[in-house]
Amino acid sequence: MAWASSRAGAAGILALLLARAIAAEPAAGVSGQVAAATSPAVTGPQSAALCNDYRGLPEGFGPGRAGRPNRAGLVRLAGGTFMMGSNQGYREEREVHRVSVAGFSIDRHEVTNAQFATFVHATGYLTVAERRSTSGPPGSAVFVPPKAGGPADAAYCWWVWVPGADWRHPLGPGSSIAGKDNHPVVHVAYEDAKAYADWLGRSLPTEAQWEYAARGGLDGTAYAWGNVPHPNGREMANIWQGRFPQSDSKADGHAGTAPVGCFPANGHGLYDMIGNVWEWTEDVYRPSHIAAPAVNPLIATREPGSIPGDGNAAYMARVIKGGSFLCAPDFCVRYRPASRQPQEVSVSTIHVGFRTVLNR
Ligand SMILES: [Ca+2]
């Protein structure tokens, strides 16, 4: 398979296809039309200090180390017990089970380009997408809407491997992040996210920590803000509106990534846990919650063969959470706290980013 501008199908895109094989089926009870009687519960501070006026760096942001971590931009969450997963969503979200997590702190918003640039400037770090490997030139996966009248139904034809695409050049050579200091960094592989977290003296969230944080204190609701997808007609997260993948109507005001903090914070004061970009977690992906531990769970080992096409001994997928600007009511209803998806650790894309936690 040639790398140059090839359509999805290159080895590095394999995980995306596997993930979408899981993602493609409709899920009972989670369509965009779902509306329950529960009132919307939008709480927490609003985003006046973030979004367009934000420069992308929390006050006091800078290097840390394991013994003295940097705490800028963190929100402290008390420990607690919640119901993790969903029995109404996609099959990999089952079963709902009671989970307890100890107190921890988590980034108020997704890691921004400004934050990642500070890290790279200080360390000289080179992301996976920027490194030449034996399998091809540097590059990453970019979303390209199919042309009108084209084979829109071809499996995941909207993913294009673009040589030269990386966090500084989200759409490939010629593109840039100028003016996007406050957008979430993208095209970061799992080890890139880990390296950044290490530099701060922090960690990546476990899936349980992430879901506990995303629920914002609302236990058992379908969405992070309640059971109504659009309370009072309001767009609550940066997702896709319109017919996917042909046309994003931008009803939420954004196509592609949005600056962090443009949508209401959840009940914990956290922004964009849902939508904008998917977020890496520390957990190795398994296709259900069956037999998961109940206290501070962390899935550290995979189950070979548990993911369709997973015949490669070196294959390793971790859980990503929250959905992205590419999640649509008619395609991937994964803009919910219980949603989860496998992402091959070495693959970066234009719609996966991350945030960090501090476990002390
Ligand atoms: Ca997000």
Side-chain angles (χ1 to χ4, degrees):
M1 173 67 70
W3 286 94
S5 299
S6 63
R7 285 285 173 185
I13 309 296
L14 177 60
L16 294 168
L17 302 183
L18 297 177
R20 299 323 183 279
I22 297 170
E25 91 264 16
V30 294
S31 77
Q33 284 72 48
V34 165
T38 307
S39 298
V42 181
T43 57
Q46 297 303 297
S47 52
L50 297 178
C51 197
N52 292 327
D53 294 333
Y54 183 49
R55 68 188 183 104
L57 286 177
E59 179 121 9
F61 181 77
R65 52 185 186 272
R68 192 176 179 183
N70 181 282
R71 295 177 180 273
L74 293 173
V75 173
R76 179 71 185 174
L77 304 186
T81 299
F82 72 109
M83 301 305 291
M84 185 172 176
S86 170
N87 292 343
Q88 283 74 51
Y90 296 102
R91 68 180 64 139
E92 70 272 11
E93 300 168 22
R94 301 172 190 171
E95 296 284 329
V96 174
H97 58 298
R98 186 177 299 276
V99 167
S100 296
V101 294
F104 62 101
S105 298
I106 187 165
D107 275 323
R108 184 182 181 209
H109 57 68
E110 296 151 335
V111 173
T112 63
N113 284 322
Q115 288 177 292
F116 201 77
T118 303
F119 157 64
V120 168
H121 181 74
T123 62
Y125 184 82
L126 208 58
T127 61
V128 171
E130 296 170 286
R131 303 174 202 161
R132 178 170 292 277
S133 73
T134 54
S135 59
S140 192
V142 174
F143 171 79
V144 179
K147 288 184 170 56
D153 294 332
Y156 308 100
C157 61
W158 48 84
W159 284 113
V160 178
W161 185 263
V162 177
D166 57 42
W167 72 275
R168 287 189 180 91
H169 310 93
L171 298 175
S175 66
S176 84
I177 55 172
K180 294 186 174 182
D181 284 352
N182 54 3
H183 284 235
V185 66
V186 294
H187 294 302
V188 281
Y190 168 77
E191 72 176 74
D192 303 327
K194 288 278 283 184
Y196 171 94
D198 287 348
W199 177 70
L200 290 169
R202 305 184 192 170
S203 305
L204 295 181
T206 66
E207 180 179 3
Q209 286 178 320
W210 192 99
E211 188 166 328
Y212 178 73
R215 290 184 176 281
L218 291 179
D219 209 3
T221 58
Y223 302 97
W225 48 84
N227 279 320
V228 179
H230 303 99
N232 301 318
R234 187 176 187 181
E235 298 292 343
M236 298 298 290
N238 181 20
I239 60 173
W240 180 287
Q241 294 87 38
R243 188 179 171 208
F244 185 88
Q246 292 88 354
S247 173
D248 184 352
S249 71
K250 299 192 287 185
D252 59 9
H254 303 276
T257 58
V260 297
C262 289
F263 293 84
N266 73 5
H268 290 320
L270 305 172
Y271 295 97
D272 303 303
M273 294 295 294
I274 301 303
N276 216 13
V277 291
W278 284 96
E279 300 176 23
W280 285 107
T281 75
E282 190 63 44
D283 284 56
V284 172
Y285 182 83
R286 290 182 180 178
S288 80
H289 290 304
I290 293 172
V295 178
N296 294 323
L298 170 61
I299 304 302
T301 57
R302 73 191 190 116
E303 295 176 314
S306 64
I307 301 174
D310 176 18
N312 181 349
Y315 178 87
M316 174 65 84
R318 303 216 177 231
V319 176
I320 54 174
K321 296 282 278 185
S324 78
F325 62 86
L326 294 178
C327 282
D330 66 349
F331 176 66
C332 171
V333 192
R334 284 190 165 78
Y335 36 88
R336 297 172 293 111
S339 302
R340 51 203 305 272
Q341 192 158 284
Q343 179 77 13
E344 186 179 346
V345 294
S346 62
V347 172
S348 60
T349 83
I350 198 168
H351 74 149
V352 177
F354 69 105
R355 73 182 73 206
T356 69
V357 296
L358 183 59
N359 293 307
R360 63 176 70 188

